[in-house]
Amino acid sequence: TPVKTLEPSVPVAALDEEEGDTCAICFEQWTNAGDHRLSALRCGHLFGYTCIERWLKGQAGKCPQCNKKAKRSDIVILYARTLKALDTSEQERMKSSLEKEQMLRRQAELESAQSRLQLQVLTDECSKLRKQVQELKALVAQHNVSASQQAGSSRACLPGSLPSSQSQRKYHLEKVFVVSQTGNCRVMAYCDSLSCLVVSQPSPQSTFIPGCGVKMMSVANLKSSQYIPIHSKQIRGLAFGSRADGLLLSAALDNTLKLTSLATNTVVQTYNAGRPVWSCCWCLDDTNYIYAGLVNGSIMIYDLRDTNSHVQELVPQRSRCPMVSLSYLPRMASASLPYGGILAGNLEGACFWEQKAANSYRPHHLPLEPGGCIDIQTEISTRHCLATYRPSKNNPCVRCVVMELTCSPLTEASEDVVCSSNPVQTFSVGPTCKLLTKNAIFQSPEEDGSVFVCAGDEASNSALLWDAGSGSLLQKLQADLPVLDICPLEVNQTHFLATLTEKTVKIYKWQ
């Protein structure tokens, strides 16, 4: 038959529909009833029933379209009035495009995670290099000062003496935070990676959420944030380590040591020490270890990989007074005390636990004045510590003594050393000491090698700032109540100083 020419008005879709309704053997439309009803083989091809039946009788049992084996029993009658094929090519193309985009997204997420990890590694390396640079600056400044003193006068330079600050800048009040209207705030700590200051306080809603927790304050924008409930009794110690994940270590009188994530504002680990915990600190050489100072003078060592109990207990050698302060000194090759270890202070003295190995510590008792020591703080880079003493019969005022930590060989043939402390400077504060205040010793914001000492004065409700090198009083930072804790901090190369009373936090900016 001659090929029919399509009229211009006939759409292409109509042709497709006609082709989909015709039998591939006789080219006639199949029906939904009768002899030429719609039928199919196992291979899926469609024909009229009588056409495919005759075909299979005479063509050795093969499908006329794909030549696959077929027999009369394979014929299946389909009950459909019409059969139209849906064009899913666009859908398949979009599906393929979606799968490709998902694969690219997964690849991008993987690359992003790898980049974040590399950034974290580089950030940690940068922090280490900055510490080394500060250490070298301090050593250079000490060398210059000692050289100038030797050249300008015949007076011998005392060992452990510190350079004096020549800066004309001071701390200026920047912000006042009211933390608790009822009082009872006790300690604070600063997280450098999150630029966040945390302050211990009793629960603001003690009826619904009893106990104690911390109030978060952003130093970057000077705004206070939410309260996080942590302990059931008063918090005595807060500490952040060198980790970048914002884990807060807290010690309290409810016999527990806890780790709280500031990312999720939840407690992620709890250790029961069995006794009230007075102080805590991180190991700065291995961030898997934390330390807790107990009321009986013991130091509990915990491994974050062991969630059950402590891995070691350092038993006090002499007195069993409460461990009021714990600080960790990391290893530093160029320091006067190059070894790492724990500087522990109780109410009757201090002990430096030299870390010989992973689980081996050797005690060195420091020659402090007997009795009356209420706090010991350390300055890591210069290896100086600050011991605060109560008033006594011989000394009617509170005294803050700056001491240099040193070591010397035990014997000529032995590798063991004896660690000691030499007084460098003494500051008198005031005649009153009813509270266990925490003072601070830190490097000058000028980064010129000088060291500052800041201590709370209960008699005048203020914090006194001295230059440890010259011994001169630099500033008197006034407060409404006795200052309980002092915390120097740095945000975007801007230096601040935070002072805490039982109700408020004052932020001072160095300018």
Side-chain angles (χ1 to χ4, degrees), residues 140-160:
V140 170
Q142 289 182 17
H143 175 74
N144 293 337
V145 169
S146 61
S148 63
Q149 287 178 348
Q150 289 176 0
S153 66
S154 59
R155 181 175 60 90
C157 181
L158 294 174

Side-chain angles (χ1 to χ4, degrees), residues 371-389:
C373 181
I374 61 171
D375 180 55
I376 295 180
Q377 300 296 326
T378 58
E379 207 295 305
I380 292 175
S381 300
T382 63
R383 261 11 189 205
H384 286 76
C385 67
L386 179 69
T388 304
Y389 296 95

Side-chain angles (χ1 to χ4, degrees), residues 283-474:
C283 176
L284 300 181
D285 288 323
D286 187 344
T287 56
N288 288 316
Y289 291 94
I290 53 178
Y291 307 99
L294 306 186
V295 68
N296 66 340
S298 294
I299 301 175
M300 292 291 194
I301 304 176
Y302 295 90
D303 188 341
L304 301 190
R305 296 162 293 189
D306 185 352
T307 59
N308 295 321
S309 63
H310 64 279
V311 295
Q312 192 175 354
E313 180 179 0
L314 303 180
V315 181
Q317 302 293 308
R318 298 176 182 177
S319 65
R320 294 187 172 271
C321 294
M323 193 66 65
V324 293
S325 62
L326 280 183
S327 302
Y328 188 89
L329 291 174
R331 300 182 187 94
M332 189 175 293
S334 61
S336 57
L337 182 67
Y339 308 102
I342 315 164
L343 183 61
N346 58 35
L347 296 176
E348 292 189 0
C351 179
F352 176 69
W353 292 87
E354 177 194 355
Q355 188 172 11
K356 304 286 289 184
N359 293 318
S360 175
Y361 294 85
R362 183 165 177 255
H364 300 267
H365 292 282
L366 302 182
L368 301 187
E369 298 179 17
C373 181
I374 61 171
D375 180 55
I376 295 180
Q377 300 296 326
T378 58
E379 207 295 305
I380 292 175
S381 300
T382 63
R383 261 11 189 205
H384 286 76
C385 67
L386 179 69
T388 304
Y389 296 95
R390 290 180 184 271
S392 61
K393 294 180 179 179
N394 298 327
N395 298 286
C397 293
V398 176
R399 289 173 302 116
C400 295
V401 181
V402 178
M403 295 179 292
E404 183 191 24
L405 299 173
T406 60
C407 64
S408 57
L410 184 61
T411 60
E412 294 183 0
S414 175
E415 294 183 356
D416 291 333
V417 296
V418 175
C419 300
S420 184
S421 58
N422 302 316
V424 176
Q425 195 75 258
T426 300
F427 304 99
S428 295
V429 182
T432 307
C433 184
K434 297 179 181 179
L435 303 169
L436 296 178
T437 59
K438 291 186 177 296
N439 299 322
I441 178 171
F442 56 97
Q443 288 197 19
S444 164
E446 295 297 315
E447 297 183 357
D448 54 2
S450 59
V451 172
F452 286 173
V453 169
C454 191
D457 181 12
E458 290 185 21
S460 62
N461 288 344
S462 62
L464 305 179
L465 181 70
W466 291 281
D467 179 3
S470 63
S472 59
L473 179 65
L474 301 179

